[in-house]
Amino acid sequence: MTFDLPPVRGTITENRPLAGLTWMRVGGPADALFLPADEDDLAAFLAALDPGVAVFPMGVGSNLIVRDGGIRGVVIRLGRGFNAIEIDGARVTAGAAALDAHVARRAAEAGRDLTFLRTIPGSIGGALRMNAGCYGTYVADVFAEARAVTRSGEVVTLTAEDLCFAYRQSTLPEGWILTRASFDAPPGDPAALEERMAAQLAKRDETQPTRDRTAGSTFRNPAGFSSTGRADDVHDLKAWKLIEEAGMRGASLGGAQMNPKHANFLTNTGAASAADLEALGEEVRKRVFQNAGIALEWEIMRVGEPAEK
Ligand SMILES: Cc1cc2nc3c(=O)[nH]c(=O)nc-3n(C[C@H](O)[C@H](O)[C@H](O)COP(=O)(O)OP(=O)(O)OC[C@H]3O[C@@H](n4cnc5c(N)ncnc54)[C@H](O)[C@@H]3O)c2cc1C
């Protein structure tokens, strides 16, 4: 490592393997992993860190493939100091490290509907960055405002306009860390919300490999296609269907496999490297293009460096 680390109240570990911090369980080390104690600690660290050093915020790694050579610079992961959940009427405010599922459950207990977050296995920081959503509701639909620390250590408030939410993405300048978010949640009967979340969990388990090493949907569903050419017939295509039609359901490469239960879930069956997973994903993109003329776009974020040869 060729840079100095400012003193902190939280913990910093140099050359820290990241595989264990991701759902896929792959990836090399970060030059340094920083777990800030709280927002002040984070802000002071970023203000003092050489501006030339790259900073990568990581949630709970449920939408990531970290490459086998790891991540150069500092990876920042928020923990205990960032997981408070407060509810005041319709306004639900959660720290960026709070798990989506916890926020959904706490909101439901208070008669507020954030049920769409219940089955998404990420943190609030990742949910904002990915505009996470399911069952027809996205973060953008309930978002009120967020707080972030900029790469130079300034604490700022962000609006929906700042984040430019789009399908499964938002924009955030490189090296900025989201620290908390507020949502305006519609009302609901706690028992009915609980029942809906239980039904969603059951449906997930039935249709998706929820216990395997995956990062959720591998490719975005291609948007805005029309089979008839008519403007009133525009619809999204299903990535899993395109993969299946290209004969790639169950296809494998090394320890990587397109899941037999859901073809759009790239899976580490045990001994996959990040390179296996990425190469299989690229092979799927090639076959789908050859078969249907559609270029699938990755939804999983691939970060870091390949292993040195
Ligand atoms: C089984 C399974 C099912 C899934 N189902 C869904 C689904 O239905 N809908 C859906 O939308 N997603 C789904 N996902 C994908 C994933 O859970 C979401 O994208 C989630 O929002 C990622 O959150 P995370 O905390 O794991 O973020 P990570 O994967 O760690 O990071 C994702 C991105 O967010 C950024 N990020 C994370 N925290 C911060 C922060 N504090 N500040 C700034 N940037 C940050 C990272 O830099 C990275 O760019 C699924 C994943 C799995 C494994």
Side-chain angles (χ1 to χ4, degrees):
M1 207 175 71
T2 54
F3 53 89
D4 294 327
L5 291 164
V8 294
R9 283 182 288 111
T11 54
I12 297 191
T13 316
E14 291 183 33
N15 203 26
R16 168 68 158 85
L18 295 173
L21 301 179
T22 71
W23 269 63
M24 280 290 201
R25 295 285 187 273
V26 295
D31 284 340
L33 176 73
F34 174 36
L35 278 58
D38 52 35
E39 198 178 68
D40 288 345
D41 193 29
L42 174 61
F45 173 83
L46 287 171
L49 182 68
D50 175 347
V53 176
V55 161
F56 179 74
M58 183 171 173
V60 293
S62 65
N63 198 54
L64 287 182
I65 291 176
V66 176
R67 295 196 176 100
D68 301 309
I71 298 183
R72 299 294 69 80
V74 181
V75 171
I76 297 186
R77 199 168 191 260
L78 307 183
R80 263 201 300 279
F82 298 85
N83 59 14
I85 301 169
E86 291 156 30
I87 302 174
D88 181 8
R91 184 59 62 100
V92 179
T93 299
L99 292 177
D100 298 349
H102 289 174
V103 177
R105 283 209 305 259
R106 284 282 305 282
E109 281 161 21
R112 291 289 153 182
D113 184 357
L114 292 178
T115 48
F116 76 99
L117 287 174
R118 177 64 187 89
T119 58
I120 302 175
S123 65
I124 289 298
L128 251 58
R129 182 69 180 80
M130 299 308 301
N131 188 18
C134 63
Y135 306 119
T137 307
Y138 292 84
V139 159
D141 300 325
V142 291
F143 177 81
E145 62 176 34
R147 242 155 81 141
V149 181
T150 68
R151 174 61 185 83
S152 56
E154 200 189 336
V155 177
V156 293
T157 299
L158 301 173
T159 63
E161 288 72 45
D162 296 324
L163 286 167
C164 304
F165 289 112
Y167 173 57
R168 297 282 164 92
Q169 60 188 329
S170 66
T171 44
L172 189 72
E174 222 170 288
W176 287 32
I177 318 290
L178 296 158
T179 54
R180 73 177 194 198
S182 297
F183 307 102
D184 284 330
D189 168 55
L193 296 175
E194 185 53 49
E195 209 171 296
R196 191 188 307 160
M197 292 191 294
Q200 287 173 351
L201 282 170
K203 188 171 168 202
R204 279 268 182 174
D205 283 341
E206 201 183 305
T207 57
Q208 296 181 3
T210 49
R211 280 165 186 74
D212 293 350
R213 294 174 180 185
T214 76
S217 299
T218 306
F219 302 106
R220 300 170 200 279
N221 287 328
F225 281 84
S226 167
S227 39
T228 58
R230 289 197 329 260
D232 63 355
D233 174 43
V234 175
H235 55 276
D236 294 353
L237 299 178
K238 296 284 181 208
W240 70 261
K241 202 154 180 279
L242 293 166
I243 295 167
E244 184 157 297
E245 286 164 1
M248 295 301 277
R249 179 194 283 263
S252 61
L253 191 160
Q257 187 185 38
M258 298 315 292
N259 207 287
K261 190 168 180 181
H262 192 304
N264 195 24
F265 276 56
L266 178 60
T267 307
N268 176 1
T269 60
S273 60
D276 290 342
L277 292 162
E278 211 171 349
L280 179 59
E282 287 301 328
E283 182 62 23
V284 166
R285 292 184 70 236
K286 191 172 105 193
R287 297 288 186 93
V288 167
F289 191 76
Q290 284 167 348
N291 189 54
I294 290 168
L296 289 177
E297 278 179 50
W298 283 89
E299 181 170 319
I300 296 177
M301 301 191 78
R302 289 141 304 126
V303 295
E305 310 295 324
E308 276 177 35
K309 294 249 158 80

